């Protein structure tokens, strides 16, 4: 522990810096903030060893959140057909920065063979001509966004049903938005999702679906609303921290 009360755990050669606050709470609560520190609140009866084990158990999620904060500092944007891309550049996808590899071959048929492949820390774009990288990437993101969001839409409804909430599957619309991660049109049973969520860990998109579906139960942002959100996704506040602007 350093002089500021920050404790350190090491897993796989990577540090987890965390601060413990004792409160009258039933559960151990975890929040990851942009300063790179994990904030834990727990009852005085909870041993530090139990808390450390809890942190390590959630290490994958913590590292994902920390990586997402680092990505946000680089101001990631969705690829556009008109964008300029260089071999060895950086592309963000689901909360992680990848090195871009461009393979251009004018012998291929772009209708059948142009592709985007993710392997390790690299995204490889195979195109007929180099100036088509933006167009191919834009289509890849649009296709992957549609597939992921349709899956999350169905999954979220099932999560609510499993908890005893009666909800219909929402009509899904996707578009890029500047000021909202999602919106809910209760009367039309429709949810609009921000395509920029593909720049953040998948769990953040899952949280936004939970948030919007909860509005079918409680239309406002009262304590009752957040009780529903917490019932479906107990650690939703971690996603809130990641998505804060």
């Amino acid at each position: 522990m350093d002089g500021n009360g920050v404790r350190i755990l090491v897993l796989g050669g990577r540090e987890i810096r965390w601060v413990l606050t004792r409160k009258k709470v039933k559960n151990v609560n975890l929040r990851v903030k942009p300063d790179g520190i994990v904030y834990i609140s727990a009852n005085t009866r909870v041993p530090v060893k139990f808390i450390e084990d809890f942190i390590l158990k959630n290490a994958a999620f913590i590292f994902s959140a920390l990586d997402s904060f680092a990505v946000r500092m680089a101001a990631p944007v969705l690829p556009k057909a008109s964008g300029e891309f260089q071999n060895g550049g950086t592309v963000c996808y689901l909360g992680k920065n990848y090195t871009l590899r461009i393979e251009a071959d004018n012998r291929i048929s772009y209708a059948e063979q142009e592709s985007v492949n993710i392997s390790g820390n690299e995204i490889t774009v195979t195109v007929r001509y180099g100036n088509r990288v933006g167009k191919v990437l834009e289509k890849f993101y649009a296709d992957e966004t549609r597939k992921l969001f349709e899956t999350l839409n169905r999954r979220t409804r099932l999560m609510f049903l499993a908890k005893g909430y009666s909800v219909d599957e929402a009509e899904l619309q996707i578009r890029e938005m500047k000021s909202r991660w999602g919106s809910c049109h209760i009367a039309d049973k429709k949810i609009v999702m921000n395509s920029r969520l593909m720049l953040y860990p998948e769990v953040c998109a899952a949280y936004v679906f939970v948030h919007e579906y909860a509005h079918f139960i409680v239309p406002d942002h009262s304590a009752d609303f957040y009780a529903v959100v917490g019932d479906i996704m107990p650690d939703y506040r971690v996603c809130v921290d990641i998505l804060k602007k």
Side-chain angles (χ1 to χ4, degrees), residues 178-209:
K178 292 183 178 180
S179 60
R180 288 178 143 188
W181 292 116
S183 62
C184 175
H185 302 266
I186 298 174
D188 297 330
K189 298 180 180 179
K190 179 175 69 177
I191 287 175
V192 182
M193 294 290 290
N194 192 336
S195 58
R196 290 198 302 117
L197 285 163
M198 293 300 283
L199 301 173
Y200 296 83
E202 180 179 326
V203 69
C204 291
Y207 156 68
V208 176
F209 270 103

PDB file of all heavy atoms in Angstrom, residues 178-209:
ATOM      1  N   LYS A 178     -24.355  11.240 -31.279  1.00  0.00           N
ATOM      2  CA  LYS A 178     -23.317  12.007 -30.603  1.00  0.00           C
ATOM      3  C   LYS A 178     -23.525  12.119 -29.100  1.00  0.00           C
ATOM      4  O   LYS A 178     -22.561  12.189 -28.340  1.00  0.00           O
ATOM      5  CB  LYS A 178     -23.229  13.408 -31.213  1.00  0.00           C
ATOM      6  CG  LYS A 178     -22.714  13.423 -32.649  1.00  0.00           C
ATOM      7  CD  LYS A 178     -22.580  14.848 -33.159  1.00  0.00           C
ATOM      8  CE  LYS A 178     -22.026  14.870 -34.569  1.00  0.00           C
ATOM      9  NZ  LYS A 178     -21.881  16.251 -35.098  1.00  0.00           N
ATOM     10  N   SER A 179     -24.779  12.152 -28.650  1.00  0.00           N
ATOM     11  CA  SER A 179     -25.038  12.478 -27.247  1.00  0.00           C
ATOM     12  C   SER A 179     -25.724  11.364 -26.463  1.00  0.00           C
ATOM     13  O   SER A 179     -25.931  11.508 -25.257  1.00  0.00           O
ATOM     14  CB  SER A 179     -25.890  13.752 -27.153  1.00  0.00           C
ATOM     15  OG  SER A 179     -27.130  13.569 -27.817  1.00  0.00           O
ATOM     16  N   ARG A 180     -26.099  10.261 -27.109  1.00  0.00           N
ATOM     17  CA  ARG A 180     -26.782   9.188 -26.399  1.00  0.00           C
ATOM     18  C   ARG A 180     -26.207   7.846 -26.815  1.00  0.00           C
ATOM     19  O   ARG A 180     -25.849   7.626 -27.970  1.00  0.00           O
ATOM     20  CB  ARG A 180     -28.284   9.187 -26.740  1.00  0.00           C
ATOM     21  CG  ARG A 180     -29.062  10.310 -26.138  1.00  0.00           C
ATOM     22  CD  ARG A 180     -30.509  10.231 -26.576  1.00  0.00           C
ATOM     23  NE  ARG A 180     -31.422  10.623 -25.531  1.00  0.00           N
ATOM     24  CZ  ARG A 180     -32.733  10.495 -25.594  1.00  0.00           C
ATOM     25  NH1 ARG A 180     -33.287   9.947 -26.656  1.00  0.00           N
ATOM     26  NH2 ARG A 180     -33.494  10.884 -24.597  1.00  0.00           N
ATOM     27  N   TRP A 181     -26.167   6.935 -25.834  1.00  0.00           N
ATOM     28  CA  TRP A 181     -25.742   5.576 -26.136  1.00  0.00           C
ATOM     29  C   TRP A 181     -26.929   4.733 -26.594  1.00  0.00           C
ATOM     30  O   TRP A 181     -26.750   3.739 -27.299  1.00  0.00           O
ATOM     31  CB  TRP A 181     -25.088   4.940 -24.918  1.00  0.00           C
ATOM     32  CG  TRP A 181     -23.785   5.572 -24.560  1.00  0.00           C
ATOM     33  CD1 TRP A 181     -23.485   6.253 -23.421  1.00  0.00           C
ATOM     34  CD2 TRP A 181     -22.601   5.601 -25.358  1.00  0.00           C
ATOM     35  NE1 TRP A 181     -22.192   6.709 -23.459  1.00  0.00           N
ATOM     36  CE2 TRP A 181     -21.626   6.323 -24.635  1.00  0.00           C
ATOM     37  CE3 TRP A 181     -22.268   5.102 -26.616  1.00  0.00           C
ATOM     38  CZ2 TRP A 181     -20.349   6.543 -25.130  1.00  0.00           C
ATOM     39  CZ3 TRP A 181     -20.990   5.319 -27.118  1.00  0.00           C
ATOM     40  CH2 TRP A 181     -20.046   6.032 -26.370  1.00  0.00           C
ATOM     41  N   GLY A 182     -28.107   5.131 -26.212  1.00  0.00           N
ATOM     42  CA  GLY A 182     -29.294   4.409 -26.636  1.00  0.00           C
ATOM     43  C   GLY A 182     -30.527   5.201 -26.258  1.00  0.00           C
ATOM     44  O   GLY A 182     -30.459   6.152 -25.470  1.00  0.00           O
ATOM     45  N   SER A 183     -31.644   4.836 -26.843  1.00  0.00           N
ATOM     46  CA  SER A 183     -32.906   5.466 -26.480  1.00  0.00           C
ATOM     47  C   SER A 183     -34.019   4.435 -26.618  1.00  0.00           C
ATOM     48  O   SER A 183     -33.908   3.467 -27.378  1.00  0.00           O
ATOM     49  CB  SER A 183     -33.199   6.687 -27.360  1.00  0.00           C
ATOM     50  OG  SER A 183     -33.331   6.315 -28.722  1.00  0.00           O
ATOM     51  N   CYS A 184     -35.091   4.662 -25.859  1.00  0.00           N
ATOM     52  CA  CYS A 184     -36.204   3.719 -25.814  1.00  0.00           C
ATOM     53  C   CYS A 184     -37.499   4.437 -26.178  1.00  0.00           C
ATOM     54  O   CYS A 184     -37.814   5.483 -25.602  1.00  0.00           O
ATOM     55  CB  CYS A 184     -36.302   3.120 -24.410  1.00  0.00           C
ATOM     56  SG  CYS A 184     -37.720   2.047 -24.155  1.00  0.00           S
ATOM     57  N   HIS A 185     -38.226   3.899 -27.144  1.00  0.00           N
ATOM     58  CA  HIS A 185     -39.532   4.424 -27.542  1.00  0.00           C
ATOM     59  C   HIS A 185     -40.580   3.434 -27.052  1.00  0.00           C
ATOM     60  O   HIS A 185     -40.864   2.427 -27.717  1.00  0.00           O
ATOM     61  CB  HIS A 185     -39.582   4.615 -29.047  1.00  0.00           C
ATOM     62  CG  HIS A 185     -38.516   5.538 -29.568  1.00  0.00           C
ATOM     63  ND1 HIS A 185     -38.722   6.884 -29.766  1.00  0.00           N
ATOM     64  CD2 HIS A 185     -37.210   5.305 -29.890  1.00  0.00           C
ATOM     65  CE1 HIS A 185     -37.613   7.442 -30.208  1.00  0.00           C
ATOM     66  NE2 HIS A 185     -36.675   6.505 -30.291  1.00  0.00           N
ATOM     67  N   ILE A 186     -41.103   3.712 -25.872  1.00  0.00           N
ATOM     68  CA  ILE A 186     -41.952   2.746 -25.171  1.00  0.00           C
ATOM     69  C   ILE A 186     -43.211   2.408 -25.976  1.00  0.00           C
ATOM     70  O   ILE A 186     -43.554   1.237 -26.144  1.00  0.00           O
ATOM     71  CB  ILE A 186     -42.318   3.270 -23.776  1.00  0.00           C
ATOM     72  CG1 ILE A 186     -41.046   3.439 -22.930  1.00  0.00           C
ATOM     73  CG2 ILE A 186     -43.295   2.323 -23.082  1.00  0.00           C
ATOM     74  CD1 ILE A 186     -41.273   4.087 -21.580  1.00  0.00           C
ATOM     75  N   ALA A 187     -43.890   3.409 -26.469  1.00  0.00           N
ATOM     76  CA  ALA A 187     -45.149   3.175 -27.176  1.00  0.00           C
ATOM     77  C   ALA A 187     -44.948   2.310 -28.420  1.00  0.00           C
ATOM     78  O   ALA A 187     -45.788   1.472 -28.759  1.00  0.00           O
ATOM     79  CB  ALA A 187     -45.795   4.503 -27.556  1.00  0.00           C
ATOM     80  N   ASP A 188     -43.808   2.506 -29.093  1.00  0.00           N
ATOM     81  CA  ASP A 188     -43.522   1.755 -30.319  1.00  0.00           C
ATOM     82  C   ASP A 188     -42.757   0.460 -30.056  1.00  0.00           C
ATOM     83  O   ASP A 188     -42.463  -0.280 -30.996  1.00  0.00           O
ATOM     84  CB  ASP A 188     -42.705   2.626 -31.285  1.00  0.00           C
ATOM     85  CG  ASP A 188     -43.463   3.866 -31.735  1.00  0.00           C
ATOM     86  OD1 ASP A 188     -44.698   3.783 -31.805  1.00  0.00           O
ATOM     87  OD2 ASP A 188     -42.817   4.891 -31.982  1.00  0.00           O
ATOM     88  N   LYS A 189     -42.424   0.220 -28.774  1.00  0.00           N
ATOM     89  CA  LYS A 189     -41.627  -0.953 -28.404  1.00  0.00           C
ATOM     90  C   LYS A 189     -40.350  -1.030 -29.246  1.00  0.00           C
ATOM     91  O   LYS A 189     -39.991  -2.068 -29.802  1.00  0.00           O
ATOM     92  CB  LYS A 189     -42.441  -2.240 -28.553  1.00  0.00           C
ATOM     93  CG  LYS A 189     -43.660  -2.287 -27.640  1.00  0.00           C
ATOM     94  CD  LYS A 189     -44.439  -3.580 -27.806  1.00  0.00           C
ATOM     95  CE  LYS A 189     -45.659  -3.602 -26.888  1.00  0.00           C
ATOM     96  NZ  LYS A 189     -46.453  -4.849 -27.064  1.00  0.00           N
ATOM     97  N   LYS A 190     -39.646   0.099 -29.291  1.00  0.00           N
ATOM     98  CA  LYS A 190     -38.460   0.219 -30.136  1.00  0.00           C
ATOM     99  C   LYS A 190     -37.276   0.731 -29.331  1.00  0.00           C
ATOM    100  O   LYS A 190     -37.427   1.593 -28.469  1.00  0.00           O
ATOM    101  CB  LYS A 190     -38.748   1.173 -31.306  1.00  0.00           C
ATOM    102  CG  LYS A 190     -37.574   1.391 -32.241  1.00  0.00           C
ATOM    103  CD  LYS A 190     -37.968   2.252 -33.427  1.00  0.00           C
ATOM    104  CE  LYS A 190     -38.246   3.676 -33.022  1.00  0.00           C
ATOM    105  NZ  LYS A 190     -38.552   4.539 -34.194  1.00  0.00           N
ATOM    106  N   ILE A 191     -36.106   0.186 -29.615  1.00  0.00           N
ATOM    107  CA  ILE A 191     -34.858   0.634 -29.001  1.00  0.00           C
ATOM    108  C   ILE A 191     -33.911   1.076 -30.108  1.00  0.00           C
ATOM    109  O   ILE A 191     -33.733   0.372 -31.106  1.00  0.00           O
ATOM    110  CB  ILE A 191     -34.208  -0.476 -28.160  1.00  0.00           C
ATOM    111  CG1 ILE A 191     -35.000  -0.700 -26.864  1.00  0.00           C
ATOM    112  CG2 ILE A 191     -32.753  -0.138 -27.826  1.00  0.00           C
ATOM    113  CD1 ILE A 191     -34.499  -1.857 -26.033  1.00  0.00           C
ATOM    114  N   VAL A 192     -33.310   2.253 -29.925  1.00  0.00           N
ATOM    115  CA  VAL A 192     -32.305   2.757 -30.859  1.00  0.00           C
ATOM    116  C   VAL A 192     -30.947   2.677 -30.168  1.00  0.00           C
ATOM    117  O   VAL A 192     -30.779   3.182 -29.057  1.00  0.00           O
ATOM    118  CB  VAL A 192     -32.598   4.210 -31.275  1.00  0.00           C
ATOM    119  CG1 VAL A 192     -31.552   4.694 -32.283  1.00  0.00           C
ATOM    120  CG2 VAL A 192     -34.007   4.327 -31.859  1.00  0.00           C
ATOM    121  N   MET A 193     -29.997   2.029 -30.810  1.00  0.00           N
ATOM    122  CA  MET A 193     -28.673   1.833 -30.223  1.00  0.00           C
ATOM    123  C   MET A 193     -27.610   2.607 -31.014  1.00  0.00           C
ATOM    124  O   MET A 193     -27.671   2.696 -32.236  1.00  0.00           O
ATOM    125  CB  MET A 193     -28.323   0.350 -30.219  1.00  0.00           C
ATOM    126  CG  MET A 193     -29.187  -0.493 -29.309  1.00  0.00           C
ATOM    127  SD  MET A 193     -28.887  -0.183 -27.551  1.00  0.00           S
ATOM    128  CE  MET A 193     -27.234  -0.893 -27.370  1.00  0.00           C
ATOM    129  N   ASN A 194     -26.640   3.134 -30.282  1.00  0.00           N
ATOM    130  CA  ASN A 194     -25.548   3.897 -30.874  1.00  0.00           C
ATOM    131  C   ASN A 194     -24.487   2.945 -31.425  1.00  0.00           C
ATOM    132  O   ASN A 194     -23.915   2.135 -30.684  1.00  0.00           O
ATOM    133  CB  ASN A 194     -24.941   4.819 -29.823  1.00  0.00           C
ATOM    134  CG  ASN A 194     -24.005   5.853 -30.411  1.00  0.00           C
ATOM    135  OD1 ASN A 194     -23.449   5.678 -31.486  1.00  0.00           O
ATOM    136  ND2 ASN A 194     -23.829   6.957 -29.692  1.00  0.00           N
ATOM    137  N   SER A 195     -24.198   3.049 -32.712  1.00  0.00           N
ATOM    138  CA  SER A 195     -23.197   2.170 -33.324  1.00  0.00           C
ATOM    139  C   SER A 195     -21.801   2.395 -32.758  1.00  0.00           C
ATOM    140  O   SER A 195     -20.935   1.519 -32.859  1.00  0.00           O
ATOM    141  CB  SER A 195     -23.174   2.373 -34.845  1.00  0.00           C
ATOM    142  OG  SER A 195     -22.898   3.729 -35.167  1.00  0.00           O
ATOM    143  N   ARG A 196     -21.571   3.547 -32.112  1.00  0.00           N
ATOM    144  CA  ARG A 196     -20.246   3.805 -31.532  1.00  0.00           C
ATOM    145  C   ARG A 196     -19.928   2.896 -30.354  1.00  0.00           C
ATOM    146  O   ARG A 196     -18.783   2.846 -29.889  1.00  0.00           O
ATOM    147  CB  ARG A 196     -20.141   5.274 -31.088  1.00  0.00           C
ATOM    148  CG  ARG A 196     -20.094   6.257 -32.238  1.00  0.00           C
ATOM    149  CD  ARG A 196     -19.554   7.612 -31.833  1.00  0.00           C
ATOM    150  NE  ARG A 196     -20.319   8.218 -30.764  1.00  0.00           N
ATOM    151  CZ  ARG A 196     -19.837   8.498 -29.554  1.00  0.00           C
ATOM    152  NH1 ARG A 196     -18.582   8.205 -29.234  1.00  0.00           N
ATOM    153  NH2 ARG A 196     -20.601   9.069 -28.655  1.00  0.00           N
ATOM    154  N   LEU A 197     -20.929   2.161 -29.872  1.00  0.00           N
ATOM    155  CA  LEU A 197     -20.667   1.194 -28.798  1.00  0.00           C
ATOM    156  C   LEU A 197     -19.708   0.104 -29.246  1.00  0.00           C
ATOM    157  O   LEU A 197     -19.117  -0.587 -28.412  1.00  0.00           O
ATOM    158  CB  LEU A 197     -21.978   0.578 -28.314  1.00  0.00           C
ATOM    159  CG  LEU A 197     -22.844   1.497 -27.443  1.00  0.00           C
ATOM    160  CD1 LEU A 197     -24.268   0.976 -27.362  1.00  0.00           C
ATOM    161  CD2 LEU A 197     -22.240   1.626 -26.044  1.00  0.00           C
ATOM    162  N   MET A 198     -19.520  -0.058 -30.567  1.00  0.00           N
ATOM    163  CA  MET A 198     -18.552  -1.044 -31.067  1.00  0.00           C
ATOM    164  C   MET A 198     -17.116  -0.632 -30.769  1.00  0.00           C
ATOM    165  O   MET A 198     -16.184  -1.406 -30.990  1.00  0.00           O
ATOM    166  CB  MET A 198     -18.738  -1.261 -32.563  1.00  0.00           C
ATOM    167  CG  MET A 198     -20.058  -1.920 -32.930  1.00  0.00           C
ATOM    168  SD  MET A 198     -20.293  -3.559 -32.182  1.00  0.00           S
ATOM    169  CE  MET A 198     -19.238  -4.572 -33.226  1.00  0.00           C
ATOM    170  N   LEU A 199     -16.931   0.573 -30.249  1.00  0.00           N
ATOM    171  CA  LEU A 199     -15.599   1.030 -29.846  1.00  0.00           C
ATOM    172  C   LEU A 199     -15.320   0.721 -28.374  1.00  0.00           C
ATOM    173  O   LEU A 199     -14.237   1.015 -27.879  1.00  0.00           O
ATOM    174  CB  LEU A 199     -15.470   2.536 -30.081  1.00  0.00           C
ATOM    175  CG  LEU A 199     -15.673   3.000 -31.527  1.00  0.00           C
ATOM    176  CD1 LEU A 199     -15.694   4.519 -31.601  1.00  0.00           C
ATOM    177  CD2 LEU A 199     -14.591   2.441 -32.434  1.00  0.00           C
ATOM    178  N   TYR A 200     -16.280   0.116 -27.684  1.00  0.00           N
ATOM    179  CA  TYR A 200     -16.172  -0.167 -26.257  1.00  0.00           C
ATOM    180  C   TYR A 200     -16.360  -1.670 -26.012  1.00  0.00           C
ATOM    181  O   TYR A 200     -16.863  -2.390 -26.881  1.00  0.00           O
ATOM    182  CB  TYR A 200     -17.221   0.640 -25.484  1.00  0.00           C
ATOM    183  CG  TYR A 200     -17.001   2.121 -25.603  1.00  0.00           C
ATOM    184  CD1 TYR A 200     -17.475   2.829 -26.707  1.00  0.00           C
ATOM    185  CD2 TYR A 200     -16.282   2.817 -24.639  1.00  0.00           C
ATOM    186  CE1 TYR A 200     -17.242   4.193 -26.837  1.00  0.00           C
ATOM    187  CE2 TYR A 200     -16.056   4.176 -24.749  1.00  0.00           C
ATOM    188  CZ  TYR A 200     -16.534   4.857 -25.854  1.00  0.00           C
ATOM    189  OH  TYR A 200     -16.293   6.208 -25.978  1.00  0.00           O
ATOM    190  N   PRO A 201     -15.965  -2.162 -24.840  1.00  0.00           N
ATOM    191  CA  PRO A 201     -16.147  -3.586 -24.558  1.00  0.00           C
ATOM    192  C   PRO A 201     -17.599  -4.018 -24.756  1.00  0.00           C
ATOM    193  O   PRO A 201     -18.535  -3.256 -24.498  1.00  0.00           O
ATOM    194  CB  PRO A 201     -15.724  -3.709 -23.084  1.00  0.00           C
ATOM    195  CG  PRO A 201     -14.765  -2.583 -22.876  1.00  0.00           C
ATOM    196  CD  PRO A 201     -15.283  -1.454 -23.729  1.00  0.00           C
ATOM    197  N   GLU A 202     -17.793  -5.237 -25.202  1.00  0.00           N
ATOM    198  CA  GLU A 202     -19.130  -5.743 -25.498  1.00  0.00           C
ATOM    199  C   GLU A 202     -20.083  -5.598 -24.317  1.00  0.00           C
ATOM    200  O   GLU A 202     -21.279  -5.347 -24.493  1.00  0.00           O
ATOM    201  CB  GLU A 202     -19.037  -7.217 -25.914  1.00  0.00           C
ATOM    202  CG  GLU A 202     -20.368  -7.859 -26.238  1.00  0.00           C
ATOM    203  CD  GLU A 202     -20.232  -9.301 -26.662  1.00  0.00           C
ATOM    204  OE1 GLU A 202     -19.217  -9.649 -27.305  1.00  0.00           O
ATOM    205  OE2 GLU A 202     -21.144 -10.096 -26.358  1.00  0.00           O
ATOM    206  N   VAL A 203     -19.565  -5.751 -23.103  1.00  0.00           N
ATOM    207  CA  VAL A 203     -20.425  -5.659 -21.921  1.00  0.00           C
ATOM    208  C   VAL A 203     -21.086  -4.289 -21.813  1.00  0.00           C
ATOM    209  O   VAL A 203     -22.172  -4.157 -21.242  1.00  0.00           O
ATOM    210  CB  VAL A 203     -19.624  -5.985 -20.639  1.00  0.00           C
ATOM    211  CG1 VAL A 203     -18.604  -4.904 -20.330  1.00  0.00           C
ATOM    212  CG2 VAL A 203     -20.554  -6.194 -19.464  1.00  0.00           C
ATOM    213  N   CYS A 204     -20.461  -3.253 -22.389  1.00  0.00           N
ATOM    214  CA  CYS A 204     -21.069  -1.919 -22.340  1.00  0.00           C
ATOM    215  C   CYS A 204     -22.312  -1.858 -23.215  1.00  0.00           C
ATOM    216  O   CYS A 204     -23.325  -1.255 -22.832  1.00  0.00           O
ATOM    217  CB  CYS A 204     -20.045  -0.872 -22.780  1.00  0.00           C
ATOM    218  SG  CYS A 204     -18.689  -0.646 -21.606  1.00  0.00           S
ATOM    219  N   ALA A 205     -22.250  -2.476 -24.392  1.00  0.00           N
ATOM    220  CA  ALA A 205     -23.447  -2.544 -25.234  1.00  0.00           C
ATOM    221  C   ALA A 205     -24.525  -3.362 -24.533  1.00  0.00           C
ATOM    222  O   ALA A 205     -25.717  -3.022 -24.587  1.00  0.00           O
ATOM    223  CB  ALA A 205     -23.100  -3.155 -26.588  1.00  0.00           C
ATOM    224  N   ALA A 206     -24.112  -4.442 -23.864  1.00  0.00           N
ATOM    225  CA  ALA A 206     -25.072  -5.263 -23.122  1.00  0.00           C
ATOM    226  C   ALA A 206     -25.750  -4.430 -22.043  1.00  0.00           C
ATOM    227  O   ALA A 206     -26.972  -4.537 -21.828  1.00  0.00           O
ATOM    228  CB  ALA A 206     -24.367  -6.466 -22.503  1.00  0.00           C
ATOM    229  N   TYR A 207     -24.982  -3.584 -21.364  1.00  0.00           N
ATOM    230  CA  TYR A 207     -25.565  -2.723 -20.327  1.00  0.00           C
ATOM    231  C   TYR A 207     -26.582  -1.754 -20.921  1.00  0.00           C
ATOM    232  O   TYR A 207     -27.668  -1.537 -20.350  1.00  0.00           O
ATOM    233  CB  TYR A 207     -24.482  -1.931 -19.592  1.00  0.00           C
ATOM    234  CG  TYR A 207     -25.029  -0.674 -18.964  1.00  0.00           C
ATOM    235  CD1 TYR A 207     -25.911  -0.740 -17.889  1.00  0.00           C
ATOM    236  CD2 TYR A 207     -24.724   0.583 -19.497  1.00  0.00           C
ATOM    237  CE1 TYR A 207     -26.467   0.413 -17.342  1.00  0.00           C
ATOM    238  CE2 TYR A 207     -25.273   1.732 -18.960  1.00  0.00           C
ATOM    239  CZ  TYR A 207     -26.142   1.643 -17.886  1.00  0.00           C
ATOM    240  OH  TYR A 207     -26.709   2.776 -17.362  1.00  0.00           O
ATOM    241  N   VAL A 208     -26.262  -1.146 -22.066  1.00  0.00           N
ATOM    242  CA  VAL A 208     -27.184  -0.186 -22.668  1.00  0.00           C
ATOM    243  C   VAL A 208     -28.497  -0.874 -23.037  1.00  0.00           C
ATOM    244  O   VAL A 208     -29.582  -0.313 -22.849  1.00  0.00           O
ATOM    245  CB  VAL A 208     -26.551   0.507 -23.889  1.00  0.00           C
ATOM    246  CG1 VAL A 208     -27.567   1.434 -24.569  1.00  0.00           C
ATOM    247  CG2 VAL A 208     -25.326   1.315 -23.465  1.00  0.00           C
ATOM    248  N   PHE A 209     -28.426  -2.105 -23.521  1.00  0.00           N
ATOM    249  CA  PHE A 209     -29.657  -2.853 -23.798  1.00  0.00           C
ATOM    250  C   PHE A 209     -30.460  -3.061 -22.509  1.00  0.00           C
ATOM    251  O   PHE A 209     -31.683  -2.883 -22.495  1.00  0.00           O
ATOM    252  CB  PHE A 209     -29.336  -4.201 -24.438  1.00  0.00           C
ATOM    253  CG  PHE A 209     -29.284  -4.168 -25.933  1.00  0.00           C
ATOM    254  CD1 PHE A 209     -28.076  -4.159 -26.610  1.00  0.00           C
ATOM    255  CD2 PHE A 209     -30.458  -4.142 -26.683  1.00  0.00           C
ATOM    256  CE1 PHE A 209     -28.023  -4.121 -27.988  1.00  0.00           C
ATOM    257  CE2 PHE A 209     -30.425  -4.107 -28.063  1.00  0.00           C
ATOM    258  CZ  PHE A 209     -29.204  -4.092 -28.726  1.00  0.00           C
TER     259      PHE A 209
END
